[in-house]
Amino acid sequence: MTQLWGVLLILFISPIIGAIPLIDWFTYAVSGKNLQKLGTGNISVSAAFYHGGKLAGILAVLCEAGKGIAVVLLTRTFFPFGSTWEIVAIIALVMGRYWGGKGAGATNVTWGIITHNPIAALLIFLIGGVSFTLWREKKTGRVGILVLMVVILSAQRINELEYILMTIALASLLTVIYRRMPDDLDLQTSQVNPESAKMFRFFRGDFGILSLNESLNPAQVGAKAANLSLLTKWGYNVPKGWVVKAGDDIGKLSQFFQPSFSKPLVVRSSALDEDSLNASAAGIYESFLNINDIPSLQQAIINCLSSYDTSIAINYRQSRHKKDQGIAVIIQEQINGIFSGVAFSRDPVNQLQDCVCIEAIEGMGLPLVSGEVTPKQYKVNFPEETLEGEENEKIPAHILITIAKIAREIENISKGVPQDIEWTYDGEKIWLLQTRPITTLQPLWTRKIAAEVIPGVIKSLTWSINQPLTCGVWGDIFAIVLGKKAAGFDFNQTATLHYHRAYFNATLLGDIFLLMGLPPESLEFLTRGSKFTKPPLIATFKNLFGLWRLFKKELKLEADFIYDHDRYFAPILDELKEINPDILSSQELLNRIKSILDTLKKATYYSIFSPLSYALRQAILKVSPHDLDNNDIPEISSFNALKNIAIDTKKLIYNKEFNNLDFDNYAAFFAYLAELNEGECVLNRLDKWLDKYGYLSEVATDISVSRWQENAREMKVMFTKLVFEKENNSIATKQINKVTWQIKAVQKRLNLKGKVTEIYSQLLAYLRYSFLALEKQWLQENILTKEGDIFFLTLGEISNFIEQENNEINLIELIQQRQYQWQESKKITSIPYLIYGKAPNIDLMYKYTPISSNSRFIGIGASAGIIEGKIKIISTLTQAIEISRETIIVVPYTDSGWTTILAQAGGIIAEVGGKLSHGAIIAREYEIPAVMDIHHATGIFKDGQLVRLNGNQGTVEIL
């Protein structure tokens, strides 16, 4: 019983002792300095020495040493001398020290181990101390000490597995803390308390030179140096180089480099706020060439460091609200280039052109980047890789094209962020001197995924509802994983409109996924079947608890949906169906709209999470889409139900005047049905079909688009075609040989996805009907002038107009302005799929022109099969008249309302989409070869063109 109390006391008291901030109290008492508000914010022994001086540092050592000794002695009152529980007590102390006291606990561990095993401690510090003195590299020294601790302590207790595991756990805990905490020893020695300067420099390990061949942390050496180390790691030619940090011993370092006339050096800045995504600081800090001797090298380093504190540099940082973070210096072997220059992986002026812009001069590149000379300008067009620009026979074309290819490669490796690259060519090799993001081309906006979620030219009311709903729910999902870290993100910035089309913020989403411990392209992988890179293990490890919370949410998803369906979704849908919105007042309609929106927020959560859950299960369990049953998905079930009615109708009227009817004229056919005795039954079944599926439309997520229930023409056209279809009208039943547990697990999520789509689309339909009822009132009151006007107002404007008396806003004038802007955007036929930073102005005459030499286009293979056929361009559902199994249709997007068209085609090509889009699901269900994600497909292909579509490889070839 005594030992049980001992365990409880150790696990409870030790973390509390560790969390007491004695160092902060002592430092404040002797120096008046608050460590939490200085430097790294750590409350550590090194911070006490750095900010408070020698006395504060000594007191810090004594109090933290006392903590280590105290927990070991406390343990001995309950357990034998030298027991494993002494190591457990030290671990608990360190955890309290880190989470409560903002320190690593190195001093606690040192004196705890001395008390625990003095002989082992002596051996550890003798071997470790000598090694550090010789090699003088603090990171290696720390790791070496921890390894020695495990080896020496374990060697004396080789048969005690628990003891060995606890020593490994202690060393591992310290390793993780060292990686996560900023190091006070990395602070500038120029600002260290003079009493502690010598000691501080010794423990920094100043002579441990950082090489560009190592993996470098931009927070410690600046982005420029870190980027050069990455280029080296990726296999590009980078001049051999090193990094000097502020406070390093310049005298000793200069002796190491030994510059000469035959081997000159370059000295360049690498400020911690330079070459970042948000600020390049180009030309703000100093660089020096042709360093031939040690005195010149020392002076160049000093001048480079001093350039951080010039008035220009200070004003630059202040204008961008950046804190002073310090500067490092890069020293590299100088490459005497015969041609040098810069390359922009994207045109920074006209991003609509798919080209790399290159500026080049003869000789070295410093005069170019400093603006002293006018360079020759070139463009390399992609994907044909053709060169255009000023004639200059001295610079070979193949060199410029190779530089352009390198620029695009680096952009791709850098998560699609456009790059500004400095290069030089020495007659044999192309050397890379720098790469940094083009800050004016940030963030990266993408139409991928967004064009599927809400396609088309979007009106104000639709966006004012969809944007906060979607972004808010995404924020809620991210917050499940990130917890408090999610507070730093503005999730409303995840989506925006350009040219009245939806775009997602790929830069922000990539940053969020990386912080979650997932690859930046996670969303594309889950929604489109794109390739998936390995996740960053450290970030994944940090977010294990968050990912576990998300996993638990995924497991409960179906149960949560059933609960919300019974409590919220079903009751409100029943209520909405019973109450005619046309009899409500404007205030009652507004209340109805708000009620629908509250419910829609819950439904949006499932609308986003259920497809992601389905895609994740399918990818992890490796279930083929062909092994799944899609019959419960609204877009499939609606078409099959309509086709069943058509089959029965064909049997019913086959012996009458069937062959004399004009199946192209749906109106004549429905008039004929109305005259038949049997026709009344058919028409009743079609009315019931509309009651059940009338909430669907060409774009279900856009409330400005009419639903089938409002206009039955599309249904009648397709029904007529199905009745008179010459091919076999029977609905094929998919045969699945063996239903495994993996298939069942994925099928459950696919079924859930279908139920969610039905609820979500119905709520949006009722939301539309409510706005139409309000619009009808406002038309009668002359607040609006014509039908459709209400969709050019935002939800907030509508709400304010109703709730505020004496509203003086001229809605008609506002609507006219927005209608004009919307019509202008609608005229733009060739929309860029990627926008870098600010959206460029597009000339209405601009049209995407495909490369004449290219007859083969690559997209995403969404449904297997190969077919040769003729192209039919279909921009809207109303165009679909003549379609057969020999027709390959080309569509801008696919939504649930397109099913009746897509199911009739021999092949499908879509401008957007992936393996999980509506079009892909329909294509697989009806075994139609399909290729998604061929940008500008409706402009590339022409009606009647003969093509070969390969759904296996995702290719379309013009024959």
Side-chain angles (χ1 to χ4, degrees):
M1 193 67 180
T2 303
Q3 289 191 347
L4 177 60
W5 280 107
V7 171
L8 294 175
L9 280 173
I10 289 167
L11 297 179
F12 182 73
I13 297 294
S14 296
I16 293 176
I17 293 173
I20 300 172
L22 293 177
I23 294 177
D24 198 26
W25 297 345
F26 283 135
T27 303
Y28 188 81
V30 300
S31 68
K33 303 227 177 131
N34 187 340
L35 294 182
Q36 295 184 51
K37 298 180 179 179
L38 296 172
T40 61
N42 294 345
I43 302 174
S44 63
V45 171
S46 54
F49 274 110
Y50 184 93
H51 298 291
K54 189 179 292 184
L55 178 58
I58 291 172
L59 289 173
V61 170
L62 291 175
C63 69
E64 294 306 310
K67 289 181 181 180
I69 294 169
V71 298
V72 174
L73 296 180
L74 173 67
T75 306
R76 289 180 183 171
T77 61
F78 301 97
F79 296 94
F81 182 100
S83 72
T84 302
W85 284 103
E86 293 181 8
I87 302 295
V88 174
I90 296 173
I91 291 173
L93 175 69
V94 171
M95 292 174 74
R97 182 84 178 84
Y98 175 65
W99 278 296
K102 294 185 179 179
T107 307
N108 305 131
V109 173
T110 299
W111 287 93
I113 295 298
I114 289 172
T115 309
H116 169 70
N117 191 332
I119 297 175
L122 181 62
L123 282 173
I124 293 167
F125 296 121
L126 273 176
I127 299 171
V130 171
S131 302
F132 180 74
T133 304
L134 291 174
W135 280 284
R136 308 286 289 110
E137 214 291 310
K138 67 175 184 294
K139 288 184 181 179
T140 306
R142 281 174 175 169
V143 175
I145 291 287
L146 292 175
V147 171
L148 276 171
M149 180 184 75
V150 172
V151 171
I152 291 174
L153 289 175
S154 300
Q156 294 182 318
R157 312 273 283 273
I158 195 68
N159 294 319
E160 296 180 35
L161 180 60
E162 298 88 353
Y163 184 88
I164 294 171
L165 290 175
M166 286 301 103
T167 58
I168 293 172
L170 176 58
S172 301
L173 176 62
L174 284 171
T175 302
V176 171
I177 291 173
Y178 283 143
R179 287 185 176 180
R180 296 184 67 169
M181 282 188 64
D183 194 344
D184 297 289
L185 294 174
D186 287 333
L187 294 169
Q188 296 185 36
T189 53
S190 58
Q191 297 177 12
V192 69
N193 190 299
E195 297 175 354
S196 312
K198 287 186 179 179
M199 179 279 303
F200 199 77
R201 284 198 176 95
F202 176 84
F203 284 106
R204 272 173 58 102
D206 274 343
F207 202 65
I209 301 173
L210 296 174
S211 168
L212 294 180
N213 291 326
E214 302 176 37
S215 294
L216 300 179
N217 185 347
Q220 296 176 350
V221 300
K224 184 183 291 183
N227 289 344
L228 287 172
S229 73
L230 282 175
L231 291 174
T232 305
K233 178 182 177 181
W234 294 336
Y236 294 104
N237 298 316
V238 176
K240 189 175 181 181
W242 306 266
V243 180
V244 176
K245 293 195 284 187
D248 286 346
D249 192 329
I250 297 174
K252 287 184 178 180
L253 291 173
S254 300
Q255 300 296 326
F256 170 81
F257 294 117
Q258 293 294 325
S260 65
F261 284 99
S262 60
K263 292 185 177 180
L265 298 176
V266 177
V267 176
R268 311 170 70 197
S269 66
S270 182
L272 272 61
D273 52 13
E274 187 178 4
D275 290 357
S276 67
L277 280 170
N278 301 317
S280 67
I284 299 297
Y285 307 113
E286 295 285 356
S287 295
F288 302 92
L289 301 176
N290 298 313
I291 305 299
N292 302 313
D293 53 57
I294 291 176
S296 299
L297 176 60
Q298 293 176 344
Q299 191 60 48
I301 295 172
I302 292 170
N303 291 344
C304 201
L305 292 170
S306 301
S307 68
Y308 191 76
D309 297 316
T310 63
S311 59
I312 294 175
I314 293 171
N315 289 336
Y316 177 85
R317 294 194 295 273
Q318 289 177 347
S319 68
R320 284 157 179 78
H321 307 288
K322 289 188 170 292
K323 296 179 180 179
D324 291 352
Q325 300 178 55
I327 190 172
V329 174
I330 302 169
I331 300 173
Q332 286 180 283
E333 293 180 351
Q334 182 169 301
I335 304 298
N336 294 316
I338 56 175
F339 304 115
S340 302
V342 295
F344 298 95
S345 64
R346 298 282 164 178
D347 189 334
V349 178
N350 182 7
Q351 58 177 265
L352 295 177
Q353 292 187 357
D354 189 6
C355 66
V356 172
C357 296
I358 300 174
E359 296 182 346
I361 61 171
E362 295 183 40
M364 299 181 68
L366 187 59
L368 169 60
V369 295
S370 61
E372 297 174 15
V373 299
T374 301
K376 300 285 186 181
Q377 296 185 339
Y378 306 90
K379 287 184 178 179
V380 177
N381 298 305
F382 281 84
E384 64 267 41
E385 298 176 6
T386 58
L387 177 68
E388 61 177 84
E390 302 178 39
E391 292 186 6
N392 188 336
E393 296 180 357
K394 294 183 179 179
I395 304 181
H398 73 274
I399 296 296
L400 296 169
I401 291 173
T402 302
I403 290 167
K405 289 180 180 179
I406 290 172
R408 283 295 172 88
E409 286 174 5
I410 295 172
E411 176 186 284
N412 291 335
I413 299 172
S414 304
K415 307 181 191 74
V417 176
Q419 297 291 303
D420 168 3
I421 297 164
E422 285 185 32
W423 59 272
T424 190
Y425 175 65
D426 63 0
E428 294 183 3
K429 295 180 181 178
I430 296 171
W431 297 86
L432 302 186
L433 309 179
Q434 177 177 312
T435 185
R436 61 187 174 198
I438 304 176
T439 54
T440 57
L441 297 183
Q442 292 295 316
L444 174 61
W445 298 98
T446 177
R447 282 276 286 154
K448 293 180 178 179
I449 307 171
E452 298 174 63
V453 174
I454 180 167
V457 188
I458 302 168
K459 296 176 182 176
S460 304
L461 182 56
T462 299
W463 189 247
S464 71
I465 291 170
N466 286 47
Q467 195 259 2
L469 269 179
T470 305
C471 294
V473 170
W474 271 115
D476 293 342
I477 293 173
F478 291 142
I480 293 171
V481 180
L482 296 176
K484 293 181 180 178
K485 288 182 285 186
F489 290 100
D490 181 1
F491 294 109
N492 284 325
Q493 297 300 314
T494 54
T496 193
L497 287 184
H498 293 303
Y499 322 111
H500 288 85
R501 274 85 167 180
Y503 284 80
F504 281 165
N505 189 333
T507 302
L508 178 60
L509 289 171
D511 290 342
I512 293 170
F513 279 116
L514 281 173
L515 189 61
M516 289 170 63
L518 301 170
E521 69 279 4
S522 296
L523 190 58
E524 283 198 50
F525 164 74
L526 292 173
T527 57
R528 303 173 75 247
S530 301
K531 291 183 179 179
F532 194 64
T533 59
K534 290 182 180 179
L537 293 179
I538 294 177
T540 305
F541 179 77
K542 289 179 181 178
N543 286 290
L544 280 178
F545 290 112
L547 293 171
W548 172 249
R549 289 194 296 270
L550 188 66
F551 176 66
K552 289 195 294 184
K553 287 280 186 182
E554 195 279 337
L555 291 178
K556 291 177 58 186
L557 192 61
E558 186 173 14
D560 289 344
F561 174 77
I562 293 171
Y563 176 83
D564 284 343
H565 178 274
D566 294 342
R567 185 166 183 177
Y568 301 107
F569 302 147
I572 193 172
L573 286 172
D574 290 341
E575 180 185 333
L576 292 170
K577 189 174 182 179
E578 291 297 321
I579 300 175
N580 183 356
D582 290 336
I583 66 172
L584 301 177
S585 68
S586 59
Q587 185 61 58
E588 288 171 333
L589 282 170
L590 182 60
N591 293 338
R592 174 184 168 108
I593 287 166
K594 288 180 178 179
S595 176
I596 295 172
L597 287 173
D598 288 342
T599 312
L600 259 175
K601 185 172 183 182
K602 295 181 183 296
T604 303
Y605 168 79
Y606 296 105
S607 172
I608 290 174
F609 206 161
S610 61
L612 294 180
S613 171
Y614 160 63
L616 194 61
R617 287 192 177 199
Q618 185 184 0
I620 293 173
L621 299 178
K622 301 186 184 305
V623 172
S624 170
H626 297 282
D627 291 333
L628 300 171
D629 182 3
N630 293 289
N631 285 317
D632 289 337
I633 297 176
E635 52 261 49
I636 302 297
S637 61
S638 62
F639 179 74
N640 285 345
L642 189 64
K643 194 165 186 176
N644 275 327
I645 300 173
I647 292 170
D648 293 343
T649 303
K650 188 171 182 177
K651 294 176 182 176
L652 189 68
I653 65 174
Y654 188 78
N655 293 325
K656 301 188 181 293
E657 301 172 10
F658 183 80
N659 295 323
N660 297 324
L661 295 175
D662 181 4
F663 65 84
D664 282 336
N665 188 340
Y666 78 90
F669 175 60
F670 271 78
Y672 173 76
L673 280 178
E675 294 174 1
L676 290 176
N677 292 331
E678 302 91 337
E680 184 178 356
C681 175
V682 175
L683 295 175
N684 287 336
R685 288 180 68 184
L686 289 174
D687 287 340
K688 290 180 181 179
W689 185 92
L690 271 179
D691 286 341
K692 185 173 184 179
Y693 298 107
Y695 62 85
L696 294 172
S697 73
E698 182 177 345
V699 185
T701 53
D702 189 345
I703 62 169
S704 71
V705 177
S706 64
R707 270 42 187 174
W708 288 349
Q709 200 168 45
E710 301 168 59
N711 183 359
R713 178 187 178 279
E714 293 169 8
M715 178 273 290
K716 291 179 178 179
V717 169
M718 185 47 56
F719 178 72
T720 304
K721 182 171 178 56
L722 288 173
V723 170
F724 290 93
E725 192 174 38
K726 294 180 181 179
E727 298 178 14
N728 181 17
N729 285 79
S730 61
I731 298 174
T733 303
K734 182 179 289 187
Q735 297 294 327
I736 300 174
N737 296 327
K738 183 181 179 182
V739 179
T740 63
W741 70 266
Q742 293 97 329
I743 293 175
K744 288 181 180 178
V746 179
Q747 185 69 54
K748 285 180 68 175
R749 284 296 177 265
L750 180 59
N751 294 343
L752 177 62
K753 177 175 173 284
K755 293 174 186 175
V756 170
T757 300
E758 183 178 351
I759 296 294
Y760 187 70
S761 299
Q762 286 178 351
L763 287 169
L764 285 173
Y766 282 116
L767 186 64
R768 171 179 166 79
Y769 304 151
S770 302
F771 281 114
L772 289 177
L774 181 61
E775 182 183 59
K776 187 183 295 183
Q777 291 184 19
W778 285 6
L779 286 170
Q780 294 171 354
E781 297 169 9
N782 295 321
I783 297 172
L784 302 178
T785 59
K786 59 182 182 297
E787 292 182 359
D789 279 357
I790 199 166
F791 296 106
F792 289 97
L793 298 173
T794 67
L795 176 64
E797 290 163 350
I798 293 170
S799 177
N800 290 338
F801 192 88
I802 293 173
E803 294 181 331
Q804 295 179 11
E805 295 182 3
N806 301 320
N807 201 316
E808 297 180 358
I809 298 176
N810 189 333
L811 294 185
I812 294 175
E813 184 178 330
L814 179 62
I815 288 168
Q816 287 174 345
Q817 291 174 356
R818 288 182 179 161
Q819 282 177 334
Y820 173 78
Q821 295 166 351
W822 184 82
Q823 290 291 350
E824 290 298 295
S825 292
K826 192 176 181 182
K827 293 176 185 176
I828 303 172
T829 56
S830 298
I831 298 295
Y833 280 81
L834 294 174
I835 291 177
Y836 301 90
K838 184 180 179 181
N841 293 324
I842 297 181
D843 188 338
L844 293 180
M845 300 302 293
Y846 169 76
K847 186 172 178 61
Y848 176 81
T849 305
I851 309 150
S852 58
S853 61
N854 191 3
S855 62
R856 188 170 183 268
F857 301 87
I858 300 175
I860 296 175
S863 180
I866 301 172
I867 183 175
E868 291 184 8
K870 290 186 177 181
I871 290 290
K872 175 68 177 177
I873 308 293
I874 301 178
S875 299
T876 63
L877 287 180
T878 55
Q879 291 179 246
I881 299 173
E882 293 288 346
I883 299 177
S884 69
R885 289 298 180 187
E886 288 74 42
T887 304
I888 296 177
I889 62 172
V890 181
V891 296
Y893 57 87
T894 58
D895 201 281
S896 53
W898 286 75
T899 305
T900 54
I901 302 302
L902 301 177
Q904 299 300 301
I908 300 170
I909 301 169
E911 291 189 333
V912 297
K915 295 179 180 179
L916 304 179
S917 63
H918 292 287
I921 293 171
I922 293 162
R924 288 193 295 268
E925 185 67 19
Y926 297 104
E927 298 181 350
I928 302 168
V931 176
M932 306 284 147
D933 201 42
I934 295 186
H935 297 177
H936 306 288
T938 55
I940 292 172
F941 301 105
K942 308 297 179 187
D943 280 341
Q945 220 169 20
L946 185 64
V947 302
R948 180 186 294 117
L949 184 154
N950 189 324
N952 306 309
Q953 298 180 355
T955 61
V956 179
E957 185 178 359
I958 298 174
L959 300 178

